[in-house]
């Protein structure tokens, strides 16, 4: 929060969806290999390893501010890819890097509720070590709504391009974030969760809901929510991390923050 101006910028978009749908999109790493498969296939980074093994196993570490969610995938060479996302109560997500190494841009996503059926999805791009990527900053910084936003609504499938699908794109959308946005809004403004079939790959979503419900119940009983105890935490020290673990037995907590 105290980075120089050339090392951080923000972009946001208003979406017709409940804010929890934005939080769940942020914290869930299991969807990356499926929804974003066109981008993982063409990537030369560790991001591509999610395509080699779409099955994800989760491990968690509870924290005073929320939790750390480690999405772990085995790779053909015997190593494991770890993407460790941070959930910070009540609606902040720090997204794991897409390749190993410290000098890369990072992302914080904030799903800010407007009302029950609308939210603003804020993207904070930042780099603790150096200026942020100039091309992405030129494309997205200081624009409202953020460049690459939704190109329509349900009447035109939110701008889905069937020509690029014919050429091999799996979704018909030209940006990763648009794929997320379309899934969020196409659910409807408030999802009927009684129709869900959650599985082991949805553990991060389950944990988010449990923690939010715990906080609501605690607040109703007179307890101070975690998000109102900021003076007791150092938010600037929370960093999402990612990288490869040399063997199946290596602990993802060893990844440098």
């Amino acid at each position: 929060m105290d980075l120089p101006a050339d090392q951080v910028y923000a972009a946001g978009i208003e979406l017709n969806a409940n804010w929890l749908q934005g939080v769940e999109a942020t914290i869930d790493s299991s969807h990356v290999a499926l929804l974003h498969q066109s981008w993982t296939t063409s990537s030369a980074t560790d991001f591509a390893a999610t395509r080699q093994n779409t099955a994800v196993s989760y491990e968690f570490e509870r924290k005073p501010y929320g939790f750390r969610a480690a999405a772990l995938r085995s790779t053909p060479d015997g190593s494991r890819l770890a993407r460790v996302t941070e959930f910070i109560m009540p609606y902040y997500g720090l997204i794991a890097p897409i390749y190993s190494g410290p000098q890369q841009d990072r992302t914080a996503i904030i799903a800010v509720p407007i009302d029950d059926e609308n939210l603003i999805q804020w993207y904070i791009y930042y780099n603790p070590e150096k200026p942020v990527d100039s091309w992405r900053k030129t494309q997205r910084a200081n624009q409202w709504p953020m460049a690459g936003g939704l190109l329509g609504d349900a009447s035109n499938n939110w701008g889905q391009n069937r020509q690029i699908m014919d050429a091999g794109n799996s979704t018909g959308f030209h940006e990763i974030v648009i794929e997320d946005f379309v899934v969020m809004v196409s659910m409807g403004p408030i999802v009927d969760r009684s129709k869900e079939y959650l599985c082991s790959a949805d553990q991060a979503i389950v944990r988010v809901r449990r923690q939010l419900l715990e906080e609501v119940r605690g607040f109703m009983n007179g307890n101070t929510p975690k998000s109102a105890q900021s003076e007791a935490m150092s938010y600037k020290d929370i960093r999402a991390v990612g990288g490869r673990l040399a063997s199946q037995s290596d602990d993802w907590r060893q990844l440098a923050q």
Side-chain angles (χ1 to χ4, degrees):
M1 297 177 68
D2 56 1
L3 289 175
D6 62 350
Q7 290 180 228
V8 62
Y9 65 94
I13 185 170
E14 185 174 331
L15 298 170
N16 181 213
N18 181 267
W19 66 276
L20 188 55
Q21 287 156 231
V23 173
E24 291 175 351
T26 300
I27 194 62
D28 174 55
S29 288
S30 65
H31 78 272
V32 170
L34 300 174
L35 180 61
H36 303 318
Q37 60 186 270
S38 290
W39 311 100
T40 59
T41 300
S42 61
S43 175
T45 70
D46 282 349
F47 205 35
T50 61
R51 186 72 191 277
Q52 297 169 350
N53 187 349
T54 58
V56 62
S57 62
Y58 270 111
E59 293 182 12
F60 297 90
E61 183 178 24
R62 189 138 187 173
K63 290 289 189 180
Y65 52 79
F67 63 81
R68 306 182 76 202
L72 305 169
R73 289 180 172 87
S74 300
T75 58
D77 63 4
S79 64
R80 281 200 304 176
L81 180 68
R83 303 189 75 243
V84 185
T85 304
E86 301 274 1
F87 172 62
I88 303 158
M89 293 287 290
Y91 44 54
Y92 303 90
L94 300 187
I95 307 305
I98 62 172
Y99 61 92
S100 303
Q103 291 201 354
Q104 57 186 294
D105 290 356
R106 299 170 184 271
T107 311
I109 304 178
I110 314 172
V112 180
I114 298 173
D115 54 32
D116 285 353
E117 297 188 352
N118 296 276
L119 82 152
I120 296 176
Q121 196 83 330
W122 284 106
Y123 284 71
I124 314 298
Y125 298 96
Y126 66 101
N127 193 312
E129 285 85 24
K130 63 183 182 64
V132 291
D133 179 84
S134 58
W135 174 81
R136 178 166 283 186
K137 184 173 182 179
T138 300
Q139 182 193 38
R140 288 187 177 156
N142 304 319
Q143 297 191 37
W144 180 267
M146 66 186 293
L150 293 176
L151 302 176
D153 52 30
S155 65
N156 70 341
N157 285 340
W158 294 276
Q160 186 181 48
N161 186 328
R162 296 302 178 94
Q163 290 181 317
I164 65 173
M165 292 179 77
D166 289 342
N169 182 287
S170 62
T171 65
F173 298 104
H174 65 279
E175 269 268 13
I176 287 180
V177 292
I178 298 179
E179 294 173 336
D180 290 319
F181 296 159
V182 171
V183 169
M184 288 162 55
V185 300
S186 63
M187 293 178 183
I190 299 180
V191 176
D192 181 357
R193 292 179 172 85
S194 69
K195 297 181 179 179
E196 290 179 330
Y197 292 90
L198 299 180
C199 65
S200 60
D202 298 310
Q203 289 183 64
I205 290 173
V206 171
R207 297 237 174 183
V208 164
R209 295 180 187 175
R210 282 179 178 169
Q211 286 212 359
L212 288 170
L213 288 170
E214 286 176 13
E215 291 292 288
V216 170
R217 292 175 185 131
F219 178 72
M220 292 173 70
N221 289 324
N223 299 326
T224 303
K226 290 184 176 68
S227 54
Q229 301 177 40
S230 57
E231 70 281 353
M233 300 180 227
S234 179
Y235 289 103
K236 63 186 290 186
D237 294 330
I238 305 171
R239 299 249 185 114
V241 296
R244 287 180 183 266
L245 303 172
S247 70
Q248 300 295 313
S249 61
D250 287 352
D251 190 341
W252 56 269
R253 295 170 186 81
Q254 74 186 27
L255 293 171
Q257 284 197 271

